[in-house]
Amino acid sequence: MWKKRLEQIGPLSERWVEAAKDRVDNLVKPKGSLGLLEDMAVRAVAIREEKRPAFDKKKVVVFAGDHGVAAEENISAFPQEVTGLMVRNFIDGVAAINVISRSVGADVDVVDIGMKETPEDLQGLIRKNVRRGTDNMAKGPAMSIEDAQRAINVGIEMADNAYNQGFPLIATGEMGIGNTTPSAALFSALLPAAVSDVTGRGTGIDDDTLSRKINVIKKALEINKSRVKDPLSALATLGGMEIAGICGLCIGGAAKKMVVVVDGFIASAGALVAMKLNPHVKEYLFFAHCSQEIGHKVFFEKEGIRPVLDFDMRLGEGTGACLVMQVIEHAVKIYNEMATFEDVGIEPGN
Amino acid sequence: MWKKRLEQIGPLSERWVEAAKDRVDNLVKPKGSLGLLEDMAVRAVAIREEKRPAFDKKKVVVFAGDHGVAAEENISAFPQEVTGLMVRNFIDGVAAINVISRSVGADVDVVDIGMKETPEDLQGLIRKNVRRGTDNMAKGPAMSIEDAQRAINVGIEMADNAYNQGFPLIATGEMGIGNTTPSAALFSALLPAAVSDVTGRGTGIDDDTLSRKINVIKKALEINKSRVKDPLSALATLGGMEIAGICGLCIGGAAKKMVVVVDGFIASAGALVAMKLNPHVKEYLFFAHCSQEIGHKVFFEKEGIRPVLDFDMRLGEGTGACLVMQVIEHAVKIYNEMATFEDVGIEPGN
């Protein structure tokens, strides 16, 4: 499925971009004075190819997966069981992502794409487990190419569902104890970047754990060298289920001309794989915020991307992306509803 | 009135700050992982001195005034009449501030505090005109000390009204063709800073107009030198009615323990006067965004303030502040509604 969807993704329509820019410049305000809000509105309109798109329907898709490297290498501040405990909180509606999504008016899909154990009793959990956690990438590939493809397809399926339910705007979320480690490995391999430049403290590890984490990533890159040949094999070898799911959500969203908001550091790793598979994917993505995780800045610099917010967040779950879905909604409302200079009989100033 | 209110403003309660920090650190997320949202919630709770404050009621107060320096010195991209035309748009609900405030769920008060002419037919305009525009500060003081005090009092009255209507959260907005010029003059005098460091292109002036604008501000500072003795005399000599109104709104809001969101460059000039009159005012203010107007960065650096957004906006009206009122609302909802580690039986990671 994923290859077909990838082929469907082309550049934004220049005609739509130009038409949207024209309208923005005729709204009754000094040219360019709404800054980033103008750029966001133009791109959102061009993605949707609609004259007055509505973005009141929003959804965040939270993919949960576990990591062999976290189970075996002691690189996280939290034990692996916390993935499952947090997923329970998501289902119970008491985590940060639940509060923020309610507050911005977004639906939440919680997807088990690769949890080690799935509690039986979680009502509403979307059960799409591809495998029970990854293998330890410091000892071999995290997963097979086939598993990575299956996980990408789950992401695409989630985008398709959202599309069929009429959502024009979706966001990526994730939960997976230890998942800054595979993300850093992917950034190092795909940007590329030095491991120490893209490896940070995750949920809050100390100096010793950080240096162990850096060594584990270096080892993973070293022993898997011959396996990493292209974005897909990098994802399989160094990635995680939730990262592959996010990659799929970006591909699926772009293929359906949806606006996709990418959350933080881990989500950006998934988005990067999608962008490397088809560079046009980038045109459909908004990067919500610059994470406090040090490697995120390196990613933005290397890819020439300006994130919307800079809030020192490093939670994941999709929290930053929820905030930004709403900013996009506001930006497009301005585009849709403001009067033009002609409407009100004022001469444009420049 | 303003002196009495100033005296009522003390520091935030340390007890409330500590209690709020404690709760934030016990919410079920890695410590500090919500970054700025955590800081915003802590401060908002401490300002309100409420265990679970609600911020769904929001109001932006837009002060409109005219400027003698704009009428006589040709320093703006738009003619002075545009102040009145834009105020008409605010009343008609078709300007950017109307769309954004509707979109974030904020009320808008539009206040004529110093317009040169007030159209008779504008229903809903709050008529508090202190004087028919300022005098040209390049030829003498912009207004008398008494007028400045009256304009500050109008701002306080607007804060009091909002307080009496039950608003915990207010924002500053403004409209006044030419008002980056008095704002730059105030920044230069009060920060202090070199005129060329705080003078920018406003609504979009060309190089010639910019150098004229810089010279006009230098001249105004020079000929008014003996009059500028303290924050109030600086405001009277170099300021504007809407800037004085914003100063009053900051004072009145802080005195009533309301959360006050300061919009952009011009609003920051009004806030700076208030902060110079009583440094504790700052603790009640959130600065919405870093404007594209070059002097704004200088203000933030000199005052050690981190603005919430960096969107290259330079519209004024209160547009950026409206977005940020909603971010504060979200931050406090997270604070109020998230589960704690204890609630869900997870061990804090650090």
Side-chain angles (χ1 to χ4, degrees):
Chain A
M1 176 156 71
W2 67 280
K3 279 192 181 160
K4 208 180 119 197
R5 282 291 190 287
L6 257 190
E7 285 163 16
Q8 292 167 354
I9 302 165
L12 295 189
S13 152
E14 276 182 44
R15 196 171 56 82
W16 276 99
V17 170
E18 288 312 314
K21 277 188 183 162
D22 267 1
R23 178 168 170 82
V24 160
D25 285 344
N26 282 310
L27 299 175
V28 60
K29 57 169 184 54
K31 215 182 244 187
S33 61
L34 283 171
L36 219 55
L37 294 176
E38 298 186 10
D39 302 339
M40 294 173 92
V42 166
R43 197 145 66 88
V45 167
I47 289 170
R48 297 296 297 158
E49 300 187 350
E50 288 178 56
K51 272 203 160 177
R52 302 285 180 270
F55 286 101
D56 46 335
K57 280 193 79 172
K58 303 179 271 289
K59 175 179 279 196
V60 57
V61 183
V62 184
F63 298 95
D66 277 306
H67 298 270
V69 70
E72 296 182 7
E73 305 286 347
N74 187 19
I75 42 75
S76 178
F78 287 89
Q80 200 175 20
E81 297 74 59
V82 170
T83 302
L85 292 170
M86 286 306 302
V87 166
R88 183 174 294 278
N89 291 332
F90 300 161
I91 295 295
D92 289 347
V94 298
I97 186 62
N98 304 104
V99 181
I100 292 192
S101 59
R102 277 198 300 271
S103 200
V104 307
D107 285 13
V108 185
D109 282 353
V110 185
V111 186
D112 169 16
I113 194 166
M115 290 166 73
K116 203 172 171 190
E117 289 171 56
T118 317
E120 284 296 320
D121 62 330
L122 294 183
Q123 296 250 336
L125 177 68
I126 299 172
R127 292 165 195 270
K128 297 282 174 185
N129 194 292
V130 172
R131 54 177 288 161
R132 294 283 162 203
T134 56
D135 293 330
N136 182 355
M137 68 172 181
K139 294 188 179 158
M143 63 183 117
S144 67
I145 299 280
E146 292 68 32
D147 282 346
Q149 297 185 87
R150 273 192 280 270
I152 293 174
N153 283 340
V154 169
I156 291 174
E157 193 188 332
M158 297 310 299
D160 284 356
N161 287 350
Y163 175 81
N164 291 331
Q165 293 159 356
F167 288 90
L169 180 54
I170 51 175
T172 73
E174 47 64 41
M175 179 68 220
I177 291 300
N179 64 8
T180 57
T181 297
S183 300
L186 279 169
F187 284 127
S188 181
L190 293 177
L191 284 175
V195 172
S196 56
D197 287 347
V198 291
T199 307
R201 291 179 188 275
T203 51
I205 56 177
D206 58 21
D207 289 348
D208 283 352
T209 312
L210 178 60
S211 75
R212 190 164 53 241
K213 181 173 169 182
I214 289 172
N215 286 335
V216 163
I217 294 171
K218 282 182 178 167
K219 195 170 153 199
L221 289 166
E222 182 56 34
I223 66 154
N224 284 303
K225 213 180 217 171
S226 65
R227 292 186 187 94
V228 177
K229 294 167 205 143
D230 51 31
L232 180 66
S233 58
L235 176 66
T237 308
L238 307 168
M241 298 293 154
E242 74 279 44
I243 298 170
I246 288 166
C247 171
L249 197 78
C250 293
I251 292 169
K256 296 288 188 192
K257 296 188 187 299
M258 297 160 84
V259 175
V260 182
V261 182
V262 179
D263 185 38
F265 184 73
I266 291 113
S268 295
L272 178 61
V273 176
M275 284 155 54
K276 292 284 176 188
L277 288 167
N278 179 341
H280 291 305
V281 169
K282 189 177 177 179
E283 301 169 43
Y284 299 82
L285 307 181
F286 288 80
F287 288 82
H289 70 106
C290 184
S291 166
Q292 210 179 7
E293 186 71 9
I294 61 159
H296 213 192
K297 223 172 223 134
V298 178
F299 163 73
F300 288 127
E301 278 165 13
K302 291 234 176 192
E303 292 296 318
I305 289 167
R306 177 177 178 173
V308 178
L309 304 175
D310 186 10
F311 278 12
D312 287 342
M313 293 168 77
R314 51 180 170 80
L315 178 58
E317 298 185 6
T319 45
C322 273
L323 296 176
V324 169
M325 284 199 289
Q326 194 177 45
V327 175
I328 294 170
E329 183 186 0
H330 295 322
V332 175
K333 274 201 188 148
I334 290 168
Y335 177 92
N336 289 342
E337 297 176 20
M338 258 183 84
T340 62
F341 282 109
E342 206 184 358
D343 290 338
V344 298
I346 298 180
E347 283 290 313
N350 49 350
Chain B
M1 176 156 69
W2 67 280
K3 278 191 183 161
K4 206 180 120 198
R5 281 292 190 287
L6 258 190
E7 287 163 14
Q8 292 166 355
I9 303 166
L12 294 190
S13 151
E14 274 181 46
R15 195 172 56 84
W16 276 98
V17 170
E18 288 313 313
K21 276 187 184 164
D22 266 1
R23 178 170 169 81
V24 160
D25 285 344
N26 282 309
L27 299 175
V28 60
K29 57 167 185 53
K31 215 181 242 187
S33 62
L34 283 170
L36 220 55
L37 294 177
E38 297 186 10
D39 302 340
M40 295 174 92
V42 166
R43 196 143 67 88
V45 167
I47 290 170
R48 298 295 296 159
E49 299 186 351
E50 288 177 56
K51 272 203 160 178
R52 302 285 181 269
F55 287 100
D56 46 334
K57 278 193 80 173
K58 303 178 271 290
K59 175 180 276 197
V60 56
V61 184
V62 184
F63 298 95
D66 278 306
H67 298 269
V69 69
E72 294 182 8
E73 305 287 347
N74 187 21
I75 41 75
S76 177
F78 288 89
Q80 200 175 19
E81 297 75 59
V82 170
T83 302
L85 293 170
M86 284 307 300
V87 167
R88 182 174 294 278
N89 291 332
F90 299 160
I91 296 295
D92 289 346
V94 298
I97 186 60
N98 304 103
V99 181
I100 291 193
S101 59
R102 275 198 302 272
S103 200
V104 307
D107 285 14
V108 185
D109 281 353
V110 185
V111 185
D112 170 16
I113 193 167
M115 290 167 71
K116 202 172 171 191
E117 289 172 55
T118 317
E120 284 298 320
D121 62 330
L122 293 185
Q123 296 248 338
L125 178 68
I126 298 172
R127 291 164 196 270
K128 297 282 174 187
N129 194 293
V130 172
R131 54 177 290 164
R132 293 286 162 200
T134 56
D135 292 331
N136 182 354
M137 67 173 182
K139 293 187 179 159
M143 61 182 118
S144 67
I145 298 280
E146 292 69 31
D147 283 346
Q149 291 178 316
R150 272 191 280 270
I152 292 174
N153 283 340
V154 169
I156 290 174
E157 192 188 332
M158 298 310 300
D160 284 356
N161 287 350
Y163 175 80
N164 292 330
Q165 294 159 358
F167 288 90
L169 181 52
I170 51 175
T172 74
E174 46 64 41
M175 178 69 220
I177 291 300
N179 64 8
T180 56
T181 297
S183 300
L186 279 169
F187 284 126
S188 180
L190 294 177
L191 284 176
V195 172
S196 56
D197 286 347
V198 290
T199 306
R201 292 179 187 274
T203 49
I205 56 176
D206 59 22
D207 289 349
D208 283 354
T209 311
L210 178 60
S211 74
R212 190 162 56 239
K213 181 174 170 182
I214 290 172
N215 286 334
V216 163
I217 295 171
K218 283 181 177 168
K219 196 170 153 197
L221 289 166
E222 182 55 36
I223 65 156
N224 285 304
K225 212 180 218 169
S226 64
R227 292 186 187 95
V228 177
K229 293 168 206 141
D230 50 31
L232 180 66
S233 58
L235 176 66
T237 308
L238 307 168
M241 299 293 154
E242 74 280 42
I243 297 170
I246 288 165
C247 170
L249 196 78
C250 293
I251 292 169
K256 296 287 188 194
K257 297 189 186 299
M258 297 160 83
V259 174
V260 183
V261 182
V262 179
D263 185 39
F265 184 73
I266 291 113
S268 295
L272 179 61
V273 175
M275 283 155 53
K276 292 284 176 188
L277 288 167
N278 179 341
H280 291 304
V281 169
K282 189 177 177 178
E283 300 168 44
Y284 300 82
L285 307 180
F286 288 81
F287 287 82
H289 70 105
C290 184
S291 166
Q292 209 180 9
E293 186 72 8
I294 60 160
H296 213 192
K297 223 170 226 137
V298 178
F299 162 73
F300 288 126
E301 279 164 14
K302 292 233 176 196
E303 292 296 319
I305 289 167
R306 177 177 178 173
V308 179
L309 304 176
D310 186 10
F311 278 11
D312 287 343
M313 293 168 77
R314 52 180 170 80
L315 177 58
E317 298 185 6
T319 45
C322 273
L323 296 177
V324 169
M325 283 200 288
Q326 195 176 46
V327 175
I328 294 170
E329 183 186 1
H330 296 321
V332 175
K333 274 200 188 148
I334 290 168
Y335 178 91
N336 290 341
E337 298 176 20
M338 257 182 86
T340 62
F341 281 108
E342 206 183 359
D343 289 338
V344 299
I346 298 181
E347 282 291 312
N350 49 352

